[in-house]
Amino acid sequence: MDAAESSITPEFVERLAARAQAAESARRLPADTVAEAIASGFLEILAPKRFGGRQENLSAVFDPIRAMAHGCVSSAWTLGFLALHNWFLALFPEQAQVECYGAGPFLCPAPLAPTGRAVPADGGVRLTGRWSWATGVMHGNWIMVCALCGPDDGIYPALALLPIADITIEDVWHTEGMRATGSNDVAAEDVFVPEHRLLRLLDFYCGRTPGAELHDATTYRWPLVPALALAASMPALGAAERATDLFAGRLADRVLYEGGTRQRDKPMAQAGLGQAQVRLRALRGLRDDTVAEIEALLEAGSPVAVPVRARARLAAAHIVRESRTVIADLLQSSGAGVHFTGNPLQRLKRDVDVLSGHVIFDYDTARELAGATAIGMKIPRTAMV
């Protein structure tokens, strides 16, 4: 077991499972979950060593996120993003990193839709806007939001980093799944953001950020979309693995009312389990192959070209799509009893159904971008690759 995996222990995952229903009811992570995650060191797994972090390879977050989803998909999603956003911070100008890492722990939601406007001001910008999907905001002390910055004749999208006290939280997170993420809306009104707390989004997309020059590690040259998409797909994969384990355990004891036979003796039940298992193996292989391609380019000092980034986004979208199908197929073979609210199988399905709606997993768009870039066609500059 490597250092990344050891920070998320099986016992921690069991405690996530024990708290899952309470977390869902509260529509936020329990305080104990956040405190344990901080104490584990997992949230700093991608933070630079210079600022007390562990500076591991970016892919080191993937398996811990996947493992946490065996306990609670919402917790895995939220804690995974809080760790990933520590990586975001490492890509900002040095002054922002000194300011934010120094106050630790850095707990920062980051809604990325560019639904804010930031106009030039002396030494920075003045920011106004409203953003949805602020995962983890109920525990945040900083926040990153995406805004259209600059004068009207020179607008560019950028991430703006600001203290949580500078925004208001709108309680809108009433959903059928992923409830414990607490992904409420946030708003800001004419807030000043200094220049050192801005990061141009297009630089982030291609891995050419201030942090990539500051820190001598391939971790900080990963492009945004592959990192975001692959990390965000791991809760779905972990949920499908957990659903498969639960289905296998259920087969041993479930007696079918019609005929009084055990389900384990039904060939179709056995085949369904086998099919789920091989699908999951294929998805893990796809992820590993995608990561290996990107990391080989980074190690060689080569840019991660747009077609590679597009393939990575499609790989992540495919992982989520297939994971969702695995869960749905297993539930269809599990009988009506799994739909009681105390059964974890129904929560796994609801959570992955909601998770799959993230824009990064739009399967049609991901396929189009991968196909178009593979044959050299031009795509919009703002496409998420």
Side-chain angles (χ1 to χ4, degrees):
M1 179 180 291
D2 64 23
E5 290 172 328
S6 64
S7 64
I8 300 300
T9 65
E11 293 76 18
F12 178 61
V13 175
E14 290 173 6
R15 289 191 290 273
L16 293 182
R19 299 178 189 133
Q21 193 155 350
E24 181 172 67
S25 297
R27 295 184 299 118
R28 61 187 296 169
L29 298 190
D32 286 347
T33 293
V34 178
E36 284 192 57
I38 293 170
S40 74
F42 169 70
L43 300 184
E44 290 80 40
I45 195 171
L46 301 179
K49 288 181 179 177
R50 174 178 171 182
F51 297 109
R54 291 161 56 178
Q55 197 169 306
E56 299 196 31
N57 290 338
L58 190 134
S59 58
V61 300
F62 296 161
D63 278 332
I65 296 172
R66 181 175 61 85
M68 285 189 287
H70 287 226
C72 173
V73 178
S74 286
S75 297
W77 178 270
T78 306
L79 297 176
F81 271 113
L82 290 177
L84 194 67
H85 298 161
N86 269 263
W87 173 71
F88 281 22
L89 175 58
L91 308 179
F92 274 77
E94 182 177 10
Q95 186 177 349
Q97 297 184 48
V98 171
E99 184 178 4
C100 297
Y101 283 131
F106 181 70
L107 304 175
C108 183
L112 296 182
T115 53
R117 182 72 173 94
V119 296
D122 187 21
V125 298
R126 300 206 70 89
L127 172 70
T128 298
R130 182 184 176 110
W131 298 265
S132 297
W133 321 106
T135 290
V137 71
M138 306 308 293
H139 316 284
N141 47 25
W142 289 84
I143 187 167
M144 296 177 199
V145 295
C146 193
L148 299 177
C149 299
D152 290 341
D153 60 351
I155 290 177
Y156 61 93
L159 286 184
L161 173 62
L162 54 157
I164 202 74
D166 286 350
I167 59 99
T168 58
I169 299 172
E170 304 289 343
D171 185 0
V172 300
W173 194 244
H174 299 274
T175 56
E176 69 170 312
M178 299 297 282
R179 293 178 188 170
T181 66
S183 302
N184 288 298
D185 286 6
V186 297
E189 181 67 35
D190 195 34
V191 174
F192 177 72
V193 182
E195 184 70 29
H196 69 270
R197 288 203 251 116
L198 295 174
L199 180 65
R200 288 178 179 257
L201 195 62
L202 294 182
D203 291 341
F204 200 174
Y205 273 6
C206 60
R208 294 194 299 264
T209 63
E213 298 179 5
L214 180 64
H215 304 299
D216 184 22
T218 58
T219 297
Y220 307 111
R221 292 193 286 112
W222 264 75
L224 168 62
V225 172
L228 169 65
L230 289 167
S233 71
M234 290 299 99
L237 180 55
E241 291 171 337
R242 180 58 177 155
T244 302
D245 290 343
L246 290 171
F247 180 79
R250 187 174 172 81
L251 286 186
D253 300 319
R254 186 176 179 225
V255 176
L256 303 176
Y257 284 118
E258 187 174 3
T261 59
R262 292 182 303 174
Q263 190 176 18
R264 64 178 294 169
D265 296 328
K266 292 284 189 178
M268 290 305 297
Q270 299 160 10
L273 177 59
Q275 182 178 22
Q277 291 172 334
V278 77
R279 277 173 147 175
L280 296 175
R281 288 181 62 194
L283 295 179
R284 289 190 291 266
L286 174 62
R287 181 204 63 180
D288 292 346
D289 180 70
T290 302
V291 169
E293 180 179 24
I294 293 171
E295 291 191 336
L297 290 169
L298 295 174
E299 289 289 346
S302 302
V304 182
V306 169
V308 178
R309 285 148 44 190
R311 287 199 297 272
R313 176 175 171 179
L314 177 55
H318 185 74
I319 288 169
V320 171
R321 183 183 176 91
E322 274 287 280
S323 296
R324 186 183 184 191
T325 301
V326 166
I327 295 169
D329 288 350
L330 293 176
L331 257 73
Q332 187 174 4
S333 300
S334 295
V338 298
H339 296 286
F340 282 94
T341 56
N343 191 302
L345 274 166
Q346 53 78 33
R347 185 183 304 112
L348 291 169
K349 184 178 188 304
R350 288 188 289 105
D351 284 347
V352 175
D353 282 350
V354 172
L355 176 162
S356 66
H358 193 292
V359 64
I360 204 73
F361 303 134
D362 184 312
Y363 201 59
D364 289 340
T365 299
R367 288 185 296 171
E368 289 168 9
L369 288 170
T373 57
I375 58 175
M377 292 183 65
K378 289 185 177 180
I379 59 173
R381 281 182 78 234
T382 54
M384 290 186 68
V385 291

